Amino acid sequence: VLRRSKTIEGLKDAEEVTIWDCDGTTGMYRYIWAPEIRLIAGDYYIYYTASVESWNVWGIRPHVLKCTDPENIMNPASWEEEGRFQAAAGDTKAFTNFSLDMTYFENNGHHYAIWAQTDECSSLFMAEIDPEEPWKCTSKSIRLSYPDYSWERVNENVNEGASVIKRDGKIYIAFSASGTGPEYTIGLLSADADADLMDVNSWTKQGYPVLTSADVPGEYGPGHNSFSIDANGNPIIVYHARTWGEIIEGAQNDGGLNDPGRHARVNSVHFAADGIPVFNMTDEELLAKEFRTVTVKVTVKAKEEPSTETPPTET
């Protein structure tokens, strides 16, 4: 489904349009996960994950929709299926197991896809792609990140839900880790923009999470974020989290995986002095109390009357 609004606030009540569903498709079934809309080489695409076996909840793989009429993006007839994501020739790893949460970014003329895939446990993979056919990998995939810290291994060993933000010559990948209950959290990978991004050694994982339940009062389990900009061009983070004390009909009490009560949230992104993105800045940290009251002195000068003298003329 798509919603459209001229403001972020307006999305809350915007009309929701179903632009595609799996009914009547061949080889795709009811389990649809994690859609993400992207503008790639001038065209809109939606990356999403669908089940490829009617009997298997976990038999899911990334797929792509393309918008054929950008002027009518809300029209279901504008969207066509491009099928499953395709691994590069000779890649015997990509998309061979449970895989989802596809995202995209461009850097220095190279185009990349990142996704989560089961490889012993849920890990992040990355490959270069063809921007003209952005469902086709042009390089073999690499395993970018594996859940090796304790905060990535609470209840479940998970890295998933990656999204990219750039700043001052650095590439940052925010990703989600652990189970989907209160332990769900966001971690951070980084690399220099001029490095070989397909070299795993170019990337550094921060040793601690950058957004946790403790950072979002009244919420828990922040995760699977993406980035956008607000009306003033400032970066924002969009993530989902549950609400403490909220009882949702249909909750399964299974650690949160089938609990439907995850809501989309929006917050500002700030940057530390060393350039690292900050997702958990409080109001107190944003602006000290002593600077919150501003006094402005306005001085109004009398309007000068125009001169009535006739300017001299040259002879």
Side-chain angles (χ1 to χ4, degrees), residues 6 13 65 103 126 129 140 201 212 219 240 281 284:
K6 291 184 177 180
D13 300 312
L65 298 174
T103 194
M126 185 169 76
I129 63 169
K140 290 186 177 181
N201 295 317
T212 72
E219 308 170 17
H240 62 55
M281 184 174 288
E284 289 73 19

Side-chain angles (χ1 to χ4, degrees), residues 62-75:
H63 292 70
V64 179
L65 298 174
K66 180 179 180 178
C67 182
T68 59
D69 184 3
E71 296 300 318
N72 293 288
I73 195 171
M74 301 297 288
N75 182 356

Side-chain angles (χ1 to χ4, degrees), residues 27-33 49-63 84 95-100:
M28 280 184 285
Y29 303 95
R30 59 171 293 190
Y31 301 106
I32 309 298
W33 298 60
T49 297
S51 52
V52 296
E53 299 163 320
S54 62
W55 49 270
N56 187 358
V57 176
W58 305 113
I60 58 177
R61 301 292 188 276
H63 292 70
R84 284 200 216 181
F95 316 124
T96 55
N97 295 312
F98 170 95
S99 39
L100 75 166

Side-chain angles (χ1 to χ4, degrees), residues 78-79 100 114 117 122 185 251 253 264-265 284 289 296:
S78 298
W79 293 91
L100 75 166
I114 306 173
Q117 179 173 323
S122 181
T185 188
N253 297 318
R265 325 271 181 165
E284 289 73 19
K289 290 182 178 180
V296 178

Side-chain angles (χ1 to χ4, degrees), residues 153-169:
R153 303 171 68 89
V154 182
N155 291 327
E156 300 285 349
N157 300 337
V158 169
N159 281 180
E160 63 183 13
S163 191
V164 172
I165 188 169
K166 302 178 184 180
R167 175 80 169 189
D168 295 338

Side-chain angles (χ1 to χ4, degrees), residues 228-239:
S228 188
I229 56 173
D230 64 16
N232 297 313
N234 298 312
I236 58 171
I237 182 173
V238 184
Y239 65 96

